[in-house]
Amino acid sequence: MKRLLDQVADHPSFWDFARRIVEANHRTQKAAIKRELDGVDGPVLDAPCGTGIFSPLIPAVHYTGIDVSDVYVSHARKKHPDRRFAVMDALATSFADDAFAAVLVVGFLHHLDEPDVARSLKEIRRVLRPGGRFVLVEDCPTRGRWNVPGRILQGLDAGGRIRPTEWYRRALSVDFEVLHDYPLRAGLWDYSVFVLG
Ligand SMILES: C[S@@+](CC[C@H](N)C(=O)[O-])C[C@H]1O[C@@H](n2cnc3c(N)ncnc32)[C@H](O)[C@@H]1O
């Protein structure tokens, strides 16, 4: 089953389709991202952007998406030709200090071990301008008692390091002020949303 999921993930169109089903068309994530980035008037970094599914939520003129996967980035470029995408390591980007008014991170940190989470947060802090906004939507352990399919799918997740909200509050508070956080359910999948300054 895990091999099958990995193979699906290698094909951007299949991957997007499977995620749309599991995550109820990303309706709740999109609403949260829109709400939390509301009022940001400047460049926004989406890191990593995957296939660019959340890029339409950000005005094209302000949007930059990066991902380490060239397959995902070329898919994103085809689907959203008006937006800027680049193949880049989110832990060591080539952007200048204070380059962005906001950074959006969705479903990434559970792919990293603890030292790389710390590196990634330091890199976000470096590229985020003072007073900027950091919105993190991160996978968290399945909350619903009866959400058995969600639990099984999380067990197969490629990241494999899904951590509780409390863990993130501590890790994030080293480099950021946690302005607020809340649980978010997207279909079978559970997230926590953190808004940081
Ligand atoms: C679960 S996907 C989330 C992508 C996107 N935020 C979304 O929600 O669709 C995780 C992504 O992290 C990317 N990734 C993993 N390690 C990375 C790194 N060091 N730098 C940039 N992207 C990375 C993978 O290629 C994959 O697209």
Side-chain angles (χ1 to χ4, degrees):
M1 181 70 175
K2 184 159 178 0
R3 251 214 344 258
L4 176 68
L5 282 183
D6 288 346
Q7 277 169 4
V8 169
D10 286 343
H11 295 87
S13 300
F14 290 156
W15 181 238
D16 281 354
F17 180 68
R19 274 189 71 197
R20 267 212 303 277
I21 291 174
V22 171
E23 302 189 22
N25 209 18
H26 309 291
R27 200 174 40 79
T28 54
Q29 293 139 295
K30 285 179 180 168
I33 292 166
K34 261 189 167 158
R35 183 170 58 240
E36 303 305 348
L37 288 179
D38 186 41
V40 172
D41 186 19
V44 178
L45 176 65
D46 179 11
C49 61
T51 56
I53 53 174
F54 297 120
S55 64
L57 302 176
I58 295 151
V61 63
H62 290 324
Y63 182 86
T64 302
I66 61 165
D67 200 284
V68 80
S69 160
D70 52 351
V71 176
Y72 282 2
V73 166
S74 53
H75 182 85
R77 281 190 184 125
K78 266 187 223 127
K79 285 208 86 168
H80 309 285
D82 56 337
R83 280 163 169 76
R84 243 186 329 272
F85 295 97
V87 178
M88 209 183 283
D89 182 354
L91 305 186
T93 72
S94 58
F95 302 115
D97 293 357
D98 306 339
F100 293 95
V103 177
L104 171 68
V105 175
V106 183
F108 176 45
L109 300 181
H110 68 286
H111 288 273
L112 307 178
D113 61 20
E114 290 189 27
D116 278 349
V117 170
R119 273 181 71 199
S120 157
L121 296 178
K122 296 230 177 304
E123 182 64 2
I124 292 164
R125 197 184 64 176
R126 185 184 71 74
V127 300
L128 189 61
R129 59 179 67 150
R133 202 173 307 169
F134 170 24
V135 177
L136 170 67
V137 182
E138 186 53 50
D139 307 41
C140 277
T142 307
R143 297 184 176 96
R145 195 171 163 191
W146 303 110
N147 184 6
V148 178
R151 244 173 256 278
I152 293 170
L153 285 171
Q154 270 205 348
L156 298 169
D157 182 83
R161 296 189 184 93
I162 293 177
R163 305 172 174 107
T165 303
E166 195 43 50
W167 189 93
Y168 282 108
R169 282 193 196 116
R170 270 198 309 274
L172 291 162
S173 64
V174 174
D175 294 290
F176 298 94
E177 183 190 355
V178 182
L179 302 175
H180 59 276
D181 66 74
Y182 50 91
L184 185 91
R185 174 91 177 255
L188 298 173
W189 216 258
D190 279 285
Y191 288 92
S192 286
V193 179
F194 301 87
V195 181
L196 305 120

